[in-house]
Amino acid sequence: MNTISEIIFIQDLMSLPKSDLKDICTDLNLEDSGYKGDLAGRIYSSLNHSKKTKNDVLENYKNKIFAGKTSLTWFKLNNMLSKEEFKNLIRENHSFDPFETTSIPPLHEISTEPFLIGGSDGNNNNDVFLRFIHKSGVNEEPHVTEITTTPKTSLSTVYYHSDSGILELRGDSRKGETIAKIIARLLKQQVSLERIETPFYHKIDDIANNLGGALIDAKSKPEMLLEDLDEDKIKAVANVLTALDNYFNTENAEELETQLQQANNAFDDYKFTVPFSALILSGMEEVGLSGEKEIRGLPLFDYLNPNLQHQNGYIRFNFVEDGFEKPFTIRVGMKSQSIYFSTRASEQVIAYVREQVII
Amino acid sequence: MVAQFEIRDKVLEFVQMATLSPVKGFYPTSAAKYVNTSVQTVFPYLIDLVKTEELILVWELRCPNFDCNKTINDSKFESISIDDEMECPKCGYEFEVSNKDFFPRFDISSSYKEYLNKKDDNSGKKKRVFSLQT
């Protein structure tokens, strides 16, 4: 049976912070100087000699090695499968038993179609990890009269949580759909996988609230596209804002009133018009609002918000990990229906997001 | 739970107000906000209005690069198919078009604008403001 350590590869080591790699080097009596790549390579070749050392050394990191800075998308199985049922179906339908051994195809055989190279039980008794490899691009190295190309590969992690029937895909979110299809095939289509979209239909506010976090950045598109307004109308709208500034300076309401009247009159040929807060967005394709702290409640955000459709944003929240409260930042893609951890994540904090936002 | 007929009426009310205003198109989320329900609920009614030609359904192709998100093209101008290779004219991101990159928008047809404005011409009412704020 594979353990988590056995499905850890060099790419995963590379995703750990350098300080962790240095610690592992020290634990293994290895030289801890050099670039990250040097350290990871040194560790990996040293660990591959002994299964036991690999388990012992990587034990401390199994909580974060598949987490880190990663993009997450979620699918739900329409039929609950127990952990064993899930594993057995995969065993039956894959070219080898991925829970017993790992098998990495030779570089030239790796294609853009993800391939299952190994799996293991998770950190709890209700979860499973699967590892996939796919070709993610090519490196081109021009050399005088020729170009050498080397394939680039990426690893993705799939996490199955049997209590909730949720499949979590970590890695390139554009590959998510393909990996989900492969898994559905491995499960013999006995279940169908449905992308979890609902949390992303609603406002980004809801996600921030569920996490007890602060919305610190939001990019949005205006909800409505206005006709191309002529210069007079645009000027009339802009003049209101200038007149507002002048009023605070002069306390003379007359000019402000005139400008307001003019802006109002400029739209007299319409039976209906949109609020001023929608008019000032005229012609904007996207509006980005970003603050140091929570932006909800700030005047500009609250004023424009009813006319905006959130595309994505950043949420900062605190989470207690190993007894310490730590801040985490996630990037929420309302359109890509994914969440990306900009701060290094652990299994616990990912579980928290899954529980609060997805389930 | 709001009755279906009420949702249909509210959707139509929203579309008519938008037609009589400087709005030329809108995203389904705005109709959902106005009706105070979900996009899934209002969508079929908007599609009905496409069938009767009040609205035109336009699919916007948007750059999948998280930090860009530019609307690259809409289906009116050029036919783009899934798996075509595209380059975002704003950020230069190269990608293969996936169905996830398309987003629906409803434009108000010019014939409906003309029709409704003419029809409504005699009412002589004062201009009103309609807001998405609920």
Side-chain angles (χ1 to χ4, degrees):
Chain A
M1 279 286 278
N2 285 339
T3 58
I4 290 186
S5 316
E6 277 149 274
I7 54 165
I8 293 175
F9 302 99
I10 290 199
Q11 264 131 312
D12 303 315
L13 292 175
M14 288 288 287
S15 72
L16 288 174
K18 197 174 175 184
S19 57
D20 282 352
L21 294 180
K22 284 190 160 199
D23 286 348
I24 301 178
C25 281
T26 311
D27 283 341
L28 289 167
N29 298 322
L30 295 171
E31 165 75 36
D32 71 349
S33 62
Y35 296 110
K36 259 182 108 172
D38 300 337
L39 298 179
R42 217 175 285 153
I43 294 169
Y44 197 74
S45 54
S46 158
L47 286 179
N48 259 3
H49 295 310
S50 149
K51 208 168 170 175
K52 188 175 173 304
T53 342
K54 197 172 183 185
N55 284 334
D56 290 348
V57 171
L58 295 178
E59 175 69 25
N60 294 334
Y61 301 94
K62 65 177 194 187
N63 202 14
K64 53 181 172 187
I65 193 114
F66 301 143
K69 296 183 181 181
T70 185
S71 164
L72 307 165
T73 41
W74 290 271
F75 290 80
K76 195 164 172 59
L77 272 66
N78 70 338
N79 245 335
M80 289 292 229
L81 287 180
S82 75
K83 179 175 154 175
E84 284 314 311
E85 287 168 333
F86 181 84
K87 283 168 69 180
N88 284 336
L89 280 170
I90 291 182
R91 275 195 188 102
E92 282 165 30
N93 297 300
H94 196 46
S95 51
F96 64 95
D97 180 351
F99 300 103
E100 206 51 56
T101 173
T102 58
S103 164
I104 299 141
L107 199 53
H108 66 270
E109 276 177 26
I110 298 171
S111 73
T112 51
E113 168 102 349
F115 179 77
L116 176 58
I117 54 171
S120 92
D121 286 348
N123 290 313
N124 308 301
N125 48 21
N126 55 4
D127 49 5
V128 180
F129 281 118
L130 299 175
R131 307 302 312 279
F132 283 83
I133 195 165
H134 71 267
K135 188 173 176 181
S136 52
V138 269
N139 277 324
E140 288 180 347
E141 200 59 58
H143 181 68
V144 196
T145 54
E146 56 186 328
I147 293 180
T148 336
T149 55
T150 26
K152 272 195 286 192
T153 59
S154 294
L155 294 178
S156 321
T157 305
V158 173
Y159 172 85
Y160 177 62
H161 187 251
S162 60
D163 291 354
S164 57
I166 281 183
L167 203 64
E168 181 174 277
L169 270 45
R170 305 180 185 168
D172 183 357
S173 64
R174 286 178 77 78
K175 275 279 170 230
E177 208 87 11
T178 327
I179 294 181
K181 271 184 205 146
I182 294 171
I183 293 178
R185 209 154 63 210
L186 288 171
L187 299 175
K188 257 189 172 164
Q189 326 274 347
Q190 285 191 6
V191 289
S192 68
L193 286 171
E194 215 172 279
R195 181 129 185 189
I196 297 181
E197 300 179 329
T198 327
F200 304 101
Y201 283 147
H202 301 284
K203 295 181 203 122
I204 199 165
D205 298 44
D206 296 343
I207 299 180
N209 289 342
N210 288 341
L211 292 171
L215 181 67
I216 53 170
D217 184 301
K219 257 193 195 173
S220 325
K221 283 186 188 288
E223 287 277 19
M224 294 187 287
L225 274 87
L226 301 188
E227 290 169 1
D228 293 334
L229 301 180
D230 59 43
E231 211 178 316
D232 290 348
K233 290 193 178 64
I234 292 175
K235 233 184 212 150
V237 171
N239 283 345
V240 170
L241 294 174
T242 320
L244 206 59
D245 273 349
N246 289 343
Y247 169 74
F248 278 105
N249 197 11
T250 60
E251 289 183 36
N252 177 2
E254 229 169 85
E255 190 208 336
L256 182 59
E257 205 185 324
T258 320
Q259 294 301 342
L260 283 170
Q261 281 295 346
Q262 277 180 10
N264 194 27
N265 295 342
F267 291 90
D268 258 354
D269 33 346
Y270 294 101
K271 297 279 183 314
F272 279 92
T273 188
V274 292
F276 191 75
S277 54
L279 283 178
I280 60 169
L281 291 171
S282 160
M284 290 290 167
E285 190 181 311
E286 195 164 65
V287 180
L289 296 169
S290 172
E292 212 175 310
K293 293 187 295 231
E294 175 68 80
I295 57 172
R296 291 176 293 170
L298 295 181
L300 191 58
F301 182 84
D302 282 0
Y303 179 63
L304 295 177
N305 197 36
N307 307 300
L308 294 176
Q309 181 197 28
H310 302 141
Q311 304 295 305
N312 57 53
Y314 287 78
I315 293 169
R316 190 181 292 148
F317 63 97
N318 288 325
F319 179 73
V320 180
E321 201 180 73
D322 304 327
F324 286 104
E325 192 173 65
K326 274 177 34 184
F328 287 91
T329 308
I330 54 169
R331 199 167 77 173
V332 181
M334 303 300 276
K335 295 293 153 185
S336 58
Q337 296 164 338
S338 64
I339 286 180
Y340 173 81
F341 267 88
S342 340
T343 326
R344 273 176 211 284
S346 64
E347 292 298 330
Q348 287 97 320
V349 70
I350 292 182
Y352 174 69
V353 169
R354 195 187 311 125
E355 280 154 22
Q356 299 301 314
V357 179
I358 302 303
I359 299 179
Chain B
M1 198 56 206
V2 190
Q4 291 295 313
F5 52 78
E6 204 179 330
I7 295 170
R8 183 203 57 207
D9 275 6
K10 285 285 251 184
V11 170
L12 188 64
E13 183 182 288
F14 169 79
V15 171
Q16 288 184 335
M17 287 193 303
T19 306
L20 295 169
S21 81
V23 172
K24 73 174 175 195
F26 57 86
Y27 295 108
T29 41
S30 62
K33 264 189 198 172
Y34 182 79
V35 182
N36 201 9
T37 180
S38 68
V39 170
Q40 289 93 314
T41 316
V42 295
F43 208 83
Y45 298 107
L46 292 169
I47 293 293
D48 283 346
L49 293 172
V50 173
K51 288 179 197 152
T52 44
E53 289 171 19
E54 282 95 338
L55 300 177
I56 301 161
L57 174 60
V58 178
W59 290 95
E60 284 186 357
L61 173 67
R62 295 198 198 147
C63 175
N65 178 3
F66 197 88
D67 294 313
C68 176
N69 209 20
K70 180 171 176 56
T71 302
I72 295 174
N73 213 331
D74 50 40
S75 56
K76 271 194 300 193
F77 303 120
E78 201 183 304
S79 64
I80 298 161
S81 16
I82 305 292
D83 291 340
D84 278 4
E85 203 171 323
M86 289 285 305
E87 186 181 316
C88 172
K90 182 181 162 197
C91 71
Y93 184 73
E94 286 171 22
F95 62 100
E96 273 175 27
V97 177
S98 119
N99 54 357
K100 292 261 166 218
D101 302 328
F102 288 97
F103 298 91
R105 186 184 82 210
F106 291 93
D107 282 358
I108 299 163
S109 76
S110 51
S111 48
Y112 186 58
K113 272 225 161 192
E114 208 175 294
Y115 165 80
L116 201 64
N117 270 302
K118 218 175 257 169
K119 187 180 154 195
D120 208 72
D121 223 20
N122 305 324
S123 59
K125 274 185 226 147
K126 208 187 154 297
K127 170 170 77 338
R128 279 162 295 161
V129 174
F130 80 101
S131 159
L132 297 177
Q133 191 132 35
T134 45

